[in-house]
Amino acid sequence: MKKVTEWLASKEPRERLALITGSILLCLLLIYSLIVQPLVSGLNKREHLLEQQRETLAWMKQSAEEIKILKKFSSSRQSAGSKQSLLSTVDSTAKAARLREVIRRVEPQGNNQVQLWVEKAPFDPLLQWINTLQQRYAITVSSISIDRKEQGIVNARISLKN
């Protein structure tokens, strides 16, 4: 430090002022670029993230309301569709989907559950039939096991629940 003060003292007053001013400006620039700017940048990122999370929360609240409405609608459809028993609904819809002949065994398990064994069924119509049961009659698949036999042909074991 002594050498720096001696070197600075050897300079003209104008040069000394310029060197001191330059050193101070350099220190301020370093403080800004190493401390202030990263803090401001981080703060901006956090604000942007907070805004995104608020938008997501608003969307989730709106979706929750829609889900409640859809559940009420589904419950009313289910109660309207429950005039038929689960077994008769499965049978009539399988006939309509032309899948009745591939259902080898039907085993009722109480009033609101049935297990089916399907052999050599076309895969796409089988899935469309299951989708119809879920969408129109609020019958859900509690378990399913599908084995491929040939191209597009499957054997399946399906548990349906009302």
Side-chain angles (χ1 to χ4, degrees):
M1 187 74 177
K2 185 178 179 183
K3 287 184 180 182
V4 173
T5 23
E6 287 176 4
W7 176 77
L8 196 58
S10 70
K11 300 295 179 190
E12 293 291 322
R14 287 179 86 184
E15 290 176 333
R16 233 181 293 151
L17 180 63
L19 286 171
I20 291 173
T21 306
S23 298
I24 291 172
L25 288 175
L26 181 64
C27 287
L28 290 174
L29 180 65
L30 284 173
I31 289 172
Y32 176 78
S33 63
L34 295 176
I35 298 173
V36 175
Q37 196 272 335
L39 286 175
V40 170
S41 176
L43 182 62
N44 288 339
K45 285 180 185 177
R46 294 288 180 178
E47 286 176 352
H48 181 69
L49 180 63
L50 179 63
E51 182 59 33
Q52 285 179 332
Q53 289 177 343
R54 284 183 178 154
E55 289 173 3
T56 302
L57 178 62
W59 174 80
M60 290 174 84
K61 285 181 179 179
Q62 179 184 1
S63 296
E65 291 300 319
E66 290 176 15
I67 288 171
K68 287 178 185 176
I69 292 169
L70 290 173
K71 278 186 177 180
K72 286 180 184 177
F73 179 71
S74 175
S75 296
S76 66
R77 285 177 71 178
Q78 185 175 5
S79 63
S82 64
K83 293 176 184 173
Q84 283 187 328
S85 71
L86 175 62
L87 195 55
S88 62
T89 302
V90 169
D91 187 54
S92 64
T93 56
K95 282 180 186 174
R98 297 185 179 164
L99 292 172
R100 184 62 188 114
E101 58 275 359
V102 297
I103 297 176
R104 296 294 171 235
R105 193 167 122 196
V106 178
E107 187 176 296
Q109 297 178 335
N111 290 337
N112 63 347
Q113 194 164 355
V114 66
Q115 192 160 16
L116 307 167
W117 282 263
V118 179
E119 291 183 5
K120 297 181 183 175
F123 182 70
D124 290 339
L126 180 66
L127 288 185
Q128 290 171 352
W129 174 63
I130 292 171
N131 185 49
T132 300
L133 289 173
Q134 289 178 336
Q135 296 296 318
R136 290 190 186 159
Y137 302 97
I139 296 173
T140 58
V141 176
S142 56
S143 71
I144 187 168
S145 172
I146 299 176
D147 297 316
R148 180 180 175 195
K149 289 300 170 193
E150 306 171 19
Q151 179 74 24
I153 304 296
V154 296
N155 288 350
R157 183 174 166 204
I158 308 165
S159 291
L160 299 172
K161 192 174 192 177
N162 198 359

